Structure formats: structure tokens, C-alpha cells
Amino acid sequence: MIQTILLKNRPVGEPKISDFEFKKEDIDLSITDGELLLETEYISVDPYLRGRMSSAKSYVPPFELDKPISSGIVAKVIATKNENYKEGDFVSGLLEWKTKQVSNGENLQKVNKDLAPLSAYLGIIGMTGLTAYLGLNEIGKPKSGETLVVSGAAGAVGSVVGQIGKILGLNVIGIAGSDEKVDMLTSEFGFDHGINYKTTENMKEAIEKAAPNGVDVYFDNVGGPISDAVLFNINQFARIIICGAISVYNKTETPMSVSVQPFLVKNSALMQGFIVSNYAKKFPEAMKQLSTWLKEDKLTYSETIVEGFDNTPQAFLDMMNGKNKGKMIVKA
Ligand SMILES: NC(=O)c1ccc[n+]([C@@H]2O[C@H](COP(=O)([O-])OP(=O)(O)OC[C@H]3O[C@@H](n4cnc5c(N)ncnc54)[C@H](OP(=O)(O)O)[C@@H]3O)[C@@H](O)[C@H]2O)c1
């Protein structure tokens, strides 16, 4: 018997548990030559999945209705007829929300549980770590002494961006949604300042106060009014990395923002969209640097781990609502 989670409805506005279907199936899990049987260990729940739940055109195709949802998963090989894998190996890859599944071994990476905890392969040394490192370096081109602002700062990507900023000698300001998260930014992750956007009335002034010399690099995870407020504080030749826009993912109408053009023209500033998969050639180099910093204790990470495969949709909803600190992961 295996369990599967499917997309039942395309969410309108905020997704609900009723948009997902839980199925128990008695299916044939026998494998043929070249195949392996995987048992799910850890599931990554990510903001971009919200985009795939809608039918809108994007850089990844939408999920199909009544079909399993997929995301980054770490799984254990429990049977194999593929010479590249042996029983007991752990792999990561884009896999379906199923407790067990058959794979042909393509697009899987072996992961070593002796080098790092398995869950870390979905976060700091997985997609979110790569996003932080490559987005900041490739577009942000940070220089020591500059000021970096990070939104979504206490989340998976943001918490790593800020720490890399500190390693590179920047003044780092993080924006997050609770006092507890803001404390964590300075006490755990070494940021210089934190701003709670939920309790701050005038974000433009708060950023100005935290960044008296202006903002040189803005790593934008959220879009919306927070990012509008940052724009008022950018310096000449500022670089703005548009990594995500979680504040608008559930909007049912096209959101209105300030007009960015005058800010960009006046400051000769750069604003560029970033998708991590476009930088696949640089993954080995980025992974090497992230692992080195981890080993040297220059980098740390936080995870919110939810127990139970059945809780995967709820974990996704909770992450969208800011209940996570660091990377949100489900232990199946
Ligand atoms: N472009 C790429 O290749 C790529 C790759 C990975 C991730 N991303 C993007 O990077 C961003 C962060 O992803 P992640 O995986 O690290 O997620 P995350 O930050 O760990 O979790 C999402 C966080 O978003 C914040 N949030 C929710 N609603 C918000 C709102 N209305 N305004 C401001 N903040 C809000 C919540 O924190 P608070 O408590 O602070 O509100 C929540 O914890 C997302 O936009 C995602 O789409 C992009």
C-alpha cells in the first residue's frame, strides 16, 4: 500500500487543504531492468509550487489536476535493478509526493548522509543554498563594504543570502515577519539589522534608518510593498535580484506597485529576474563553496521539520504563511 498526494483543484487565492487529495493505492511496485524502488524520506515544500498549482504559463509547466504533485525529495533506494545504485543508497531529485515510487534513475543525484544530514540536501546544500549563492553573486555582484538588504530574510533562501553577505564583508539588513525571526537574523545568522515588516508602519523610513548609506544590493524574495519601500533607498548602480515575489503568489488580480523605472533610471540601477536552473553549469562551484563554508562554521542553517507524509500539504500552506524558520521540510 502506498500513499499519494494529488492536486485536486487549482487554488483560487490562498490554497486550502481541500485543494489536495490523499490517496491510498495498492499498486504494483515491482521493478524491471534499469529501475529502482525508492522510499521517500524528506520532502521539500517550496513557494514556487504555488505557481505550478495554477494554470498560468511560467518557466515550469503547471501540475496536472488529479495527478501527483512533485518537488525536491530525498529518498532511500530499497530495491534496485540499476547498476549505478545499490540498496541503501540515498538519492535526491524532483520526485512525486508518494511514499514509495519506481524510478529509472535519471535526474537523480546520490547524496551522502555521512557528509551532511539528509534534509540539508533539500536546503543549504540543495536548491535553496544554490539560489542564495548564485543569485547574490551572479546578479548582485556584492563588494565588501556595501549594504545588502534581504527580504524573506528568515526563510530558506534569505537566511543563507544574508550570511553570505556577511562572509563577503557587507552590511546586511534582513526583513522578516515576526520579532522572533528578526532576533534570529542578528543572533543566529549574524545580520547587522533586522526589520519586522508586520509591525513597522513606515518601511521606507525603517530601511533608511538601518541603511544610512543607502542600499547597494537588494535580494528580493517577496515583491509587493516591502520591495517598493526598498526602491526609495537604493544607491547609484544598485543591483536588485528578483528571486521571488511570495507576497503576490496568492493574488487573484494583477498587483499594483510603484513604477520602478524612475528609480532605476535615476540610479543607473540594475533589476534582473533570477531562476536558479539557468545557472546549472555553476552548481558544482557553488556547492563546493557552500560546503566549505559549512565545514568552516562560517555558514549555519535552520530547518523547520514537520513529521508525517500526510502533513505535506499543511506544511506547504504553513510555509506560505510564514510558520517556518529557515527551510520547511517534511519528514515522511
Ligand atoms: N528564482 C529561483 O530560482 C528561486 C528558487 C528558490 C526560491 N525562490 C523564491 O525565493 C523566495 C523564498 O523562497 P524560500 O524557499 O526560501 O521560502 P521561505 O522564505 O523559506 O518561506 C517563505 C516565506 O515567505 C514569507 N512571506 C509569506 N508571505 C509574505 C508576504 N506577504 N510578504 C513578505 N513575506 C512573506 C514568510 O516569512 P515571513 O514570516 O517573513 O513573512 C515565509 O516564511 C520565494 O519567493 C521563492 O519563490 C526562487
Side-chain angles (χ1 to χ4, degrees), residues 144-158:
S144 178
E146 288 188 326
T147 295
L148 164 70
V149 170
V150 188
S151 56
V157 173

Side-chain angles (χ1 to χ4, degrees), residues 139 218 220 231 238-242 260 264 269-273:
I139 299 177
Y218 174 40
D220 189 1
L231 274 177
R239 286 84 68 202
I240 301 170
I241 305 122
I242 308 293
V260 298
L264 300 185
L270 170 86
M271 179 182 261
Q272 190 179 332

Side-chain angles (χ1 to χ4, degrees), residues 1-151:
M1 184 77 72
I2 69 150
Q3 295 179 65
T4 306
I5 300 170
L6 307 98
L7 182 66
K8 191 167 158 199
N9 307 303
R10 299 210 179 278
V12 179
E14 203 170 318
K16 303 177 288 301
I17 283 293
S18 55
D19 294 324
F20 303 88
E21 186 182 344
F22 298 78
K23 221 169 158 183
K24 283 194 172 140
E25 294 172 299
D26 217 351
I27 56 167
D28 178 18
L29 290 172
S30 53
I31 49 173
T32 55
D33 279 352
E35 290 184 333
L36 45 157
L37 179 61
L38 301 174
E39 185 169 55
T40 297
E41 293 274 333
Y42 290 96
I43 304 169
S44 175
V45 289
D46 305 273
Y48 83 94
L49 300 175
R50 175 65 185 88
R52 297 197 68 189
M53 289 172 194
S54 99
S55 58
K57 186 170 170 265
S58 186
Y59 62 97
V60 267
F63 291 125
E64 286 179 54
L65 285 179
D66 302 320
K67 294 273 168 64
I69 293 172
S70 53
S71 70
I73 283 180
V74 170
K76 186 175 184 180
V77 177
I78 54 170
T80 175
K81 288 190 177 169
N82 181 317
E83 60 185 12
N84 297 321
Y85 299 91
K86 60 180 192 314
E87 225 177 280
D89 278 350
F90 290 96
V91 295
S92 79
L94 196 62
L95 291 163
E96 296 184 331
W97 285 9
K98 290 179 171 175
T99 47
K100 286 184 186 149
Q101 57 201 294
V102 173
S103 160
N104 60 10
E106 276 174 28
N107 300 319
L108 295 177
Q109 291 84 45
K110 272 192 211 174
V111 298
N112 186 342
K113 76 172 174 28
D114 299 325
L115 288 185
L118 289 173
S119 56
Y121 292 93
L122 298 176
I124 185 91
I125 46 172
M127 200 255 292
T128 52
L130 292 171
T131 300
Y133 180 90
L134 291 167
L136 181 63
N137 284 307
E138 297 296 316
I139 299 177
K141 303 201 184 320
K143 292 190 256 329
S144 178
E146 288 188 326
T147 295
L148 164 70
V149 170
V150 188
S151 56

Side-chain angles (χ1 to χ4, degrees), residues 46-48 127-128 131 152 155-158 176-177 181 197-198 221-222 226 243-247 249 274-276 319-320 322 324 326:
D46 305 273
Y48 83 94
M127 200 255 292
T128 52
T131 300
V157 173
K181 287 188 181 185
Y197 73 91
K198 289 195 179 155
N221 282 316
V222 307
I226 294 173
C243 176
I246 195 165
S247 76
Y249 290 172
F274 169 83
I275 298 293
V276 66
M319 177 277 301
M320 293 295 288
N324 58 311

Side-chain angles (χ1 to χ4, degrees), residues 214-234:
V215 177
D216 301 295
V217 183
Y218 174 40
F219 196 104
D220 189 1
N221 282 316
V222 307
I226 294 173
S227 301
D228 292 348
V230 179
L231 274 177
F232 282 92
N233 287 287
I234 59 169

